[in-house]
mmCIF file of all heavy atoms in Angstrom:
data_model
loop_
_atom_site.group_PDB
_atom_site.id
_atom_site.type_symbol
_atom_site.label_atom_id
_atom_site.label_comp_id
_atom_site.label_asym_id
_atom_site.label_seq_id
_atom_site.Cartn_x
_atom_site.Cartn_y
_atom_site.Cartn_z
ATOM 1 N N MET A 1438 164.402 225.832 82.306
ATOM 2 C CA MET A 1438 164.244 227.238 81.946
ATOM 3 C C MET A 1438 165.501 227.769 81.264
ATOM 4 O O MET A 1438 165.407 228.483 80.268
ATOM 5 C CB MET A 1438 163.913 228.071 83.188
ATOM 6 C CG MET A 1438 162.503 227.852 83.704
ATOM 7 S SD MET A 1438 162.167 228.742 85.238
ATOM 8 C CE MET A 1438 162.357 230.443 84.699
ATOM 9 N N LYS A 1439 166.659 227.407 81.794
ATOM 10 C CA LYS A 1439 167.920 227.876 81.205
ATOM 11 C C LYS A 1439 168.099 227.314 79.797
ATOM 12 O O LYS A 1439 168.469 228.031 78.870
ATOM 13 C CB LYS A 1439 169.091 227.466 82.092
ATOM 14 C CG LYS A 1439 170.420 227.989 81.618
ATOM 15 C CD LYS A 1439 171.538 227.660 82.577
ATOM 16 C CE LYS A 1439 172.838 228.244 82.062
ATOM 17 N NZ LYS A 1439 173.930 228.038 83.003
ATOM 18 N N THR A 1440 167.827 226.024 79.634
ATOM 19 C CA THR A 1440 167.952 225.370 78.332
ATOM 20 C C THR A 1440 167.045 226.028 77.294
ATOM 21 O O THR A 1440 167.438 226.222 76.149
ATOM 22 C CB THR A 1440 167.613 223.870 78.454
ATOM 23 O OG1 THR A 1440 168.493 223.274 79.401
ATOM 24 C CG2 THR A 1440 167.732 223.167 77.116
ATOM 25 N N ARG A 1441 165.839 226.372 77.721
ATOM 26 C CA ARG A 1441 164.858 226.957 76.800
ATOM 27 C C ARG A 1441 164.923 228.478 76.760
ATOM 28 O O ARG A 1441 164.094 229.124 76.123
ATOM 29 C CB ARG A 1441 163.455 226.495 77.186
ATOM 30 C CG ARG A 1441 163.320 224.994 77.009
ATOM 31 C CD ARG A 1441 162.012 224.496 77.507
ATOM 32 N NE ARG A 1441 162.027 223.034 77.431
ATOM 33 C CZ ARG A 1441 160.971 222.317 77.169
ATOM 34 N NH1 ARG A 1441 159.818 222.889 76.942
ATOM 35 N NH2 ARG A 1441 161.062 221.013 77.127
ATOM 36 N N GLN A 1442 165.881 229.037 77.501
ATOM 37 C CA GLN A 1442 166.098 230.480 77.559
ATOM 38 C C GLN A 1442 164.826 231.225 77.981
ATOM 39 O O GLN A 1442 164.424 232.214 77.368
ATOM 40 C CB GLN A 1442 166.623 231.011 76.231
ATOM 41 C CG GLN A 1442 167.962 230.405 75.864
ATOM 42 C CD GLN A 1442 168.481 230.881 74.521
ATOM 43 O OE1 GLN A 1442 167.748 231.381 73.688
ATOM 44 N NE2 GLN A 1442 169.779 230.716 74.328
ATOM 45 N N ILE A 1443 164.204 230.725 79.044
ATOM 46 C CA ILE A 1443 163.016 231.357 79.607
ATOM 47 C C ILE A 1443 163.384 231.930 80.967
ATOM 48 O O ILE A 1443 163.797 231.203 81.869
ATOM 49 C CB ILE A 1443 161.851 230.355 79.732
ATOM 50 C CG1 ILE A 1443 161.433 229.885 78.347
ATOM 51 C CG2 ILE A 1443 160.679 230.967 80.478
ATOM 52 C CD1 ILE A 1443 160.351 228.842 78.320
ATOM 53 N N THR A 1444 163.256 233.233 81.102
ATOM 54 C CA THR A 1444 163.562 233.902 82.361
ATOM 55 C C THR A 1444 162.330 233.915 83.258
ATOM 56 O O THR A 1444 161.209 233.647 82.802
ATOM 57 C CB THR A 1444 163.993 235.356 82.099
ATOM 58 O OG1 THR A 1444 162.884 236.054 81.506
ATOM 59 C CG2 THR A 1444 165.208 235.425 81.179
ATOM 60 N N SER A 1445 162.534 234.267 84.522
ATOM 61 C CA SER A 1445 161.398 234.378 85.432
ATOM 62 C C SER A 1445 160.452 235.487 84.957
ATOM 63 O O SER A 1445 159.237 235.389 85.102
ATOM 64 C CB SER A 1445 161.875 234.649 86.857
ATOM 65 O OG SER A 1445 162.605 235.854 86.924
ATOM 66 N N TYR A 1446 161.013 236.529 84.358
ATOM 67 C CA TYR A 1446 160.199 237.616 83.828
ATOM 68 C C TYR A 1446 159.296 237.105 82.692
ATOM 69 O O TYR A 1446 158.111 237.402 82.648
ATOM 70 C CB TYR A 1446 161.094 238.748 83.318
ATOM 71 C CG TYR A 1446 160.331 239.888 82.693
ATOM 72 C CD1 TYR A 1446 159.663 240.817 83.494
ATOM 73 C CD2 TYR A 1446 160.266 240.047 81.317
ATOM 74 C CE1 TYR A 1446 158.949 241.868 82.939
ATOM 75 C CE2 TYR A 1446 159.559 241.091 80.742
ATOM 76 C CZ TYR A 1446 158.908 241.997 81.563
ATOM 77 O OH TYR A 1446 158.203 243.028 81.003
ATOM 78 N N ARG A 1447 159.872 236.330 81.800
ATOM 79 C CA ARG A 1447 159.088 235.782 80.687
ATOM 80 C C ARG A 1447 158.017 234.815 81.205
ATOM 81 O O ARG A 1447 156.894 234.805 80.712
ATOM 82 C CB ARG A 1447 160.004 235.080 79.694
ATOM 83 C CG ARG A 1447 159.260 234.582 78.473
ATOM 84 C CD ARG A 1447 160.171 234.217 77.345
ATOM 85 N NE ARG A 1447 159.440 233.499 76.322
ATOM 86 C CZ ARG A 1447 159.959 232.577 75.547
ATOM 87 N NH1 ARG A 1447 161.245 232.279 75.641
ATOM 88 N NH2 ARG A 1447 159.240 231.965 74.650
ATOM 89 N N LEU A 1448 158.386 234.014 82.206
ATOM 90 C CA LEU A 1448 157.427 233.089 82.802
ATOM 91 C C LEU A 1448 156.248 233.865 83.394
ATOM 92 O O LEU A 1448 155.094 233.474 83.237
ATOM 93 C CB LEU A 1448 158.120 232.251 83.884
ATOM 94 C CG LEU A 1448 157.475 230.957 84.310
ATOM 95 C CD1 LEU A 1448 157.298 230.000 83.144
ATOM 96 C CD2 LEU A 1448 158.288 230.300 85.410
ATOM 97 N N GLU A 1449 156.543 234.994 84.034
ATOM 98 C CA GLU A 1449 155.486 235.834 84.595
ATOM 99 C C GLU A 1449 154.602 236.391 83.472
ATOM 100 O O GLU A 1449 153.376 236.425 83.596
ATOM 101 C CB GLU A 1449 156.089 236.978 85.397
ATOM 102 C CG GLU A 1449 155.049 237.886 86.016
ATOM 103 C CD GLU A 1449 155.643 239.041 86.793
ATOM 104 O OE1 GLU A 1449 156.856 239.293 86.698
ATOM 105 O OE2 GLU A 1449 154.867 239.711 87.499
ATOM 106 N N LYS A 1450 155.199 236.812 82.378
ATOM 107 C CA LYS A 1450 154.431 237.342 81.246
ATOM 108 C C LYS A 1450 153.560 236.264 80.598
ATOM 109 O O LYS A 1450 152.564 236.574 79.953
ATOM 110 C CB LYS A 1450 155.357 237.965 80.194
ATOM 111 C CG LYS A 1450 156.019 239.230 80.650
ATOM 112 C CD LYS A 1450 154.978 240.285 80.958
ATOM 113 C CE LYS A 1450 155.583 241.537 81.499
ATOM 114 N NZ LYS A 1450 154.583 242.472 82.001
ATOM 115 N N MET A 1451 153.938 235.009 80.801
ATOM 116 C CA MET A 1451 153.152 233.886 80.287
ATOM 117 C C MET A 1451 151.981 233.560 81.214
ATOM 118 O O MET A 1451 151.173 232.700 80.916
ATOM 119 C CB MET A 1451 154.049 232.650 80.109
ATOM 120 C CG MET A 1451 155.116 232.818 79.049
ATOM 121 S SD MET A 1451 156.394 231.527 79.108
ATOM 122 C CE MET A 1451 155.560 230.167 78.325
ATOM 123 N N GLY A 1452 151.935 234.230 82.382
ATOM 124 C CA GLY A 1452 150.819 234.038 83.299
ATOM 125 C C GLY A 1452 151.153 233.334 84.597
ATOM 126 O O GLY A 1452 150.260 233.016 85.383
ATOM 127 N N PHE A 1453 152.438 233.082 84.853
ATOM 128 C CA PHE A 1453 152.839 232.387 86.079
ATOM 129 C C PHE A 1453 153.142 233.404 87.173
ATOM 130 O O PHE A 1453 153.840 234.394 86.942
ATOM 131 C CB PHE A 1453 154.064 231.503 85.818
ATOM 132 C CG PHE A 1453 154.342 230.537 86.923
ATOM 133 C CD1 PHE A 1453 153.542 229.423 87.094
ATOM 134 C CD2 PHE A 1453 155.382 230.743 87.803
ATOM 135 C CE1 PHE A 1453 153.783 228.529 88.128
ATOM 136 C CE2 PHE A 1453 155.639 229.856 88.827
ATOM 137 C CZ PHE A 1453 154.833 228.746 88.991
ATOM 138 N N SER A 1454 152.651 233.158 88.358
ATOM 139 C CA SER A 1454 152.810 234.072 89.482
ATOM 140 C C SER A 1454 154.269 234.216 89.902
ATOM 141 O O SER A 1454 154.964 233.225 90.122
ATOM 142 C CB SER A 1454 151.989 233.567 90.671
ATOM 143 O OG SER A 1454 152.388 234.183 91.865
ATOM 144 N N ARG A 1455 154.716 235.455 90.030
ATOM 145 C CA ARG A 1455 156.086 235.718 90.477
ATOM 146 C C ARG A 1455 156.271 235.237 91.921
ATOM 147 O O ARG A 1455 157.327 234.692 92.258
ATOM 148 C CB ARG A 1455 156.402 237.209 90.368
ATOM 149 C CG ARG A 1455 157.835 237.533 90.756
ATOM 150 C CD ARG A 1455 158.160 238.959 90.506
ATOM 151 N NE ARG A 1455 158.296 239.139 89.069
ATOM 152 C CZ ARG A 1455 159.172 239.943 88.500
ATOM 153 N NH1 ARG A 1455 159.963 240.669 89.234
ATOM 154 N NH2 ARG A 1455 159.244 240.031 87.199
ATOM 155 N N ALA A 1456 155.260 235.429 92.746
ATOM 156 C CA ALA A 1456 155.343 234.986 94.141
ATOM 157 C C ALA A 1456 155.520 233.470 94.220
ATOM 158 O O ALA A 1456 156.309 232.967 95.027
ATOM 159 C CB ALA A 1456 154.100 235.416 94.903
ATOM 160 N N THR A 1457 154.817 232.743 93.378
ATOM 161 C CA THR A 1457 154.953 231.282 93.350
ATOM 162 C C THR A 1457 156.339 230.897 92.868
ATOM 163 O O THR A 1457 156.951 229.968 93.397
ATOM 164 C CB THR A 1457 153.864 230.654 92.459
ATOM 165 O OG1 THR A 1457 152.581 231.054 92.935
ATOM 166 C CG2 THR A 1457 153.946 229.142 92.468
ATOM 167 N N TYR A 1458 156.848 231.607 91.880
ATOM 168 C CA TYR A 1458 158.201 231.337 91.379
ATOM 169 C C TYR A 1458 159.224 231.510 92.500
ATOM 170 O O TYR A 1458 160.093 230.658 92.697
ATOM 171 C CB TYR A 1458 158.540 232.262 90.203
ATOM 172 C CG TYR A 1458 159.932 232.051 89.677
ATOM 173 C CD1 TYR A 1458 160.223 230.987 88.832
ATOM 174 C CD2 TYR A 1458 160.975 232.897 90.049
ATOM 175 C CE1 TYR A 1458 161.511 230.772 88.363
ATOM 176 C CE2 TYR A 1458 162.266 232.682 89.584
ATOM 177 C CZ TYR A 1458 162.521 231.628 88.738
ATOM 178 O OH TYR A 1458 163.796 231.408 88.287
ATOM 179 N N TYR A 1459 159.119 232.596 93.255
ATOM 180 C CA TYR A 1459 160.050 232.830 94.361
ATOM 181 C C TYR A 1459 159.890 231.772 95.452
ATOM 182 O O TYR A 1459 160.867 231.370 96.077
ATOM 183 C CB TYR A 1459 159.884 234.231 94.936
ATOM 184 C CG TYR A 1459 160.398 235.316 94.016
ATOM 185 C CD1 TYR A 1459 159.689 236.485 93.824
ATOM 186 C CD2 TYR A 1459 161.599 235.170 93.325
ATOM 187 C CE1 TYR A 1459 160.157 237.484 92.971
ATOM 188 C CE2 TYR A 1459 162.066 236.158 92.465
ATOM 189 C CZ TYR A 1459 161.344 237.309 92.307
ATOM 190 O OH TYR A 1459 161.812 238.285 91.471
ATOM 191 N N SER A 1460 158.675 231.311 95.666
ATOM 192 C CA SER A 1460 158.426 230.260 96.638
ATOM 193 C C SER A 1460 159.131 228.966 96.213
ATOM 194 O O SER A 1460 159.743 228.273 97.032
ATOM 195 C CB SER A 1460 156.920 230.030 96.767
ATOM 196 O OG SER A 1460 156.644 229.066 97.745
ATOM 197 N N ILE A 1461 159.069 228.659 94.919
ATOM 198 C CA ILE A 1461 159.760 227.476 94.386
ATOM 199 C C ILE A 1461 161.268 227.632 94.548
ATOM 200 O O ILE A 1461 161.959 226.686 94.916
ATOM 201 C CB ILE A 1461 159.379 227.245 92.914
ATOM 202 C CG1 ILE A 1461 157.927 226.781 92.818
ATOM 203 C CG2 ILE A 1461 160.303 226.227 92.257
ATOM 204 C CD1 ILE A 1461 157.388 226.732 91.404
ATOM 205 N N GLN A 1462 161.772 228.835 94.296
ATOM 206 C CA GLN A 1462 163.219 229.083 94.458
ATOM 207 C C GLN A 1462 163.677 228.784 95.881
ATOM 208 O O GLN A 1462 164.797 228.317 96.083
ATOM 209 C CB GLN A 1462 163.552 230.541 94.135
ATOM 210 C CG GLN A 1462 163.865 230.805 92.701
ATOM 211 C CD GLN A 1462 164.397 232.212 92.507
ATOM 212 O OE1 GLN A 1462 163.909 233.172 93.088
ATOM 213 N NE2 GLN A 1462 165.400 232.317 91.671
ATOM 214 N N LYS A 1463 162.809 229.062 96.851
ATOM 215 C CA LYS A 1463 163.142 228.818 98.255
ATOM 216 C C LYS A 1463 162.964 227.360 98.644
ATOM 217 O O LYS A 1463 163.274 226.973 99.763
ATOM 218 C CB LYS A 1463 162.277 229.699 99.155
ATOM 219 C CG LYS A 1463 162.588 231.167 99.023
ATOM 220 C CD LYS A 1463 161.682 231.982 99.908
ATOM 221 C CE LYS A 1463 161.956 233.460 99.745
ATOM 222 N NZ LYS A 1463 161.046 234.283 100.560
ATOM 223 N N GLY A 1464 162.423 226.537 97.721
ATOM 224 C CA GLY A 1464 162.247 225.120 98.001
ATOM 225 C C GLY A 1464 160.952 224.785 98.700
ATOM 226 O O GLY A 1464 160.781 223.665 99.190
ATOM 227 N N ASN A 1465 160.021 225.729 98.753
ATOM 228 C CA ASN A 1465 158.731 225.475 99.390
ATOM 229 C C ASN A 1465 157.895 224.534 98.526
ATOM 230 O O ASN A 1465 158.082 224.468 97.315
ATOM 231 C CB ASN A 1465 157.968 226.789 99.604
ATOM 232 C CG ASN A 1465 158.682 227.707 100.570
ATOM 233 O OD1 ASN A 1465 159.400 227.267 101.454
ATOM 234 N ND2 ASN A 1465 158.500 229.000 100.393
ATOM 235 N N SER A 1466 156.975 223.848 99.167
ATOM 236 C CA SER A 1466 156.122 222.933 98.416
ATOM 237 C C SER A 1466 155.085 223.728 97.618
ATOM 238 O O SER A 1466 154.706 224.836 97.997
ATOM 239 C CB SER A 1466 155.428 221.955 99.358
ATOM 240 O OG SER A 1466 154.590 222.650 100.256
ATOM 241 N N VAL A 1467 154.673 223.157 96.507
ATOM 242 C CA VAL A 1467 153.655 223.774 95.660
ATOM 243 C C VAL A 1467 152.610 222.729 95.319
ATOM 244 O O VAL A 1467 152.848 221.531 95.447
ATOM 245 C CB VAL A 1467 154.260 224.373 94.366
ATOM 246 C CG1 VAL A 1467 155.176 225.536 94.679
ATOM 247 C CG2 VAL A 1467 154.991 223.317 93.565
ATOM 248 N N SER A 1468 151.466 223.192 94.860
ATOM 249 C CA SER A 1468 150.370 222.280 94.544
ATOM 250 C C SER A 1468 150.601 221.581 93.208
ATOM 251 O O SER A 1468 151.402 222.024 92.384
ATOM 252 C CB SER A 1468 149.047 223.054 94.489
ATOM 253 O OG SER A 1468 149.024 223.881 93.336
ATOM 254 N N THR A 1469 149.866 220.518 93.006
ATOM 255 C CA THR A 1469 149.939 219.826 91.720
ATOM 256 C C THR A 1469 149.393 220.716 90.608
ATOM 257 O O THR A 1469 149.813 220.595 89.464
ATOM 258 C CB THR A 1469 149.168 218.489 91.754
ATOM 259 O OG1 THR A 1469 147.838 218.731 92.198
ATOM 260 C CG2 THR A 1469 149.860 217.495 92.664
ATOM 261 N N ASN A 1470 148.492 221.628 90.941
ATOM 262 C CA ASN A 1470 147.995 222.577 89.943
ATOM 263 C C ASN A 1470 149.129 223.476 89.444
ATOM 264 O O ASN A 1470 149.181 223.810 88.264
ATOM 265 C CB ASN A 1470 146.856 223.434 90.510
ATOM 266 C CG ASN A 1470 145.583 222.649 90.694
ATOM 267 O OD1 ASN A 1470 145.327 221.678 89.985
ATOM 268 N ND2 ASN A 1470 144.768 223.059 91.647
ATOM 269 N N THR A 1471 150.016 223.864 90.346
ATOM 270 C CA THR A 1471 151.164 224.689 89.971
ATOM 271 C C THR A 1471 152.106 223.913 89.059
ATOM 272 O O THR A 1471 152.579 224.444 88.050
ATOM 273 C CB THR A 1471 151.918 225.173 91.235
ATOM 274 O OG1 THR A 1471 151.022 225.972 92.013
ATOM 275 C CG2 THR A 1471 153.143 225.979 90.872
ATOM 276 N N ILE A 1472 152.352 222.662 89.389
ATOM 277 C CA ILE A 1472 153.208 221.813 88.551
ATOM 278 C C ILE A 1472 152.559 221.650 87.175
ATOM 279 O O ILE A 1472 153.234 221.743 86.144
ATOM 280 C CB ILE A 1472 153.442 220.434 89.207
ATOM 281 C CG1 ILE A 1472 154.137 220.594 90.570
ATOM 282 C CG2 ILE A 1472 154.244 219.527 88.291
ATOM 283 C CD1 ILE A 1472 155.480 221.282 90.537
ATOM 284 N N ASN A 1473 151.259 221.446 87.162
ATOM 285 C CA ASN A 1473 150.514 221.317 85.908
ATOM 286 C C ASN A 1473 150.658 222.584 85.066
ATOM 287 O O ASN A 1473 150.889 222.514 83.850
ATOM 288 C CB ASN A 1473 149.042 221.029 86.208
ATOM 289 C CG ASN A 1473 148.248 220.772 84.963
ATOM 290 O OD1 ASN A 1473 148.523 219.838 84.224
ATOM 291 N ND2 ASN A 1473 147.253 221.618 84.713
#
């Protein structure tokens, strides 16, 4: 994200859940659908 200059805000605007992003920040597991 840093290399591509994509912020969490921009990721959210692209359709990615902010709650899921924060969950990843905490190191929680996510589904393969999320990785996809």
Side-chain angles (χ1 to χ4, degrees):
M1438 288 176 63
K1439 184 175 181 176
T1440 301
R1441 295 174 186 214
Q1442 298 178 341
I1443 296 177
T1444 63
S1445 60
Y1446 177 77
R1447 184 165 168 211
L1448 200 58
E1449 180 181 11
K1450 291 299 176 189
M1451 294 167 78
F1453 193 74
S1454 164
R1455 183 174 286 217
T1457 303
Y1458 178 79
Y1459 288 137
S1460 183
I1461 290 171
Q1462 271 189 318
K1463 293 179 182 178
N1465 296 331
S1466 62
V1467 294
S1468 71
T1469 54
N1470 288 332
T1471 299
I1472 300 301
N1473 185 61

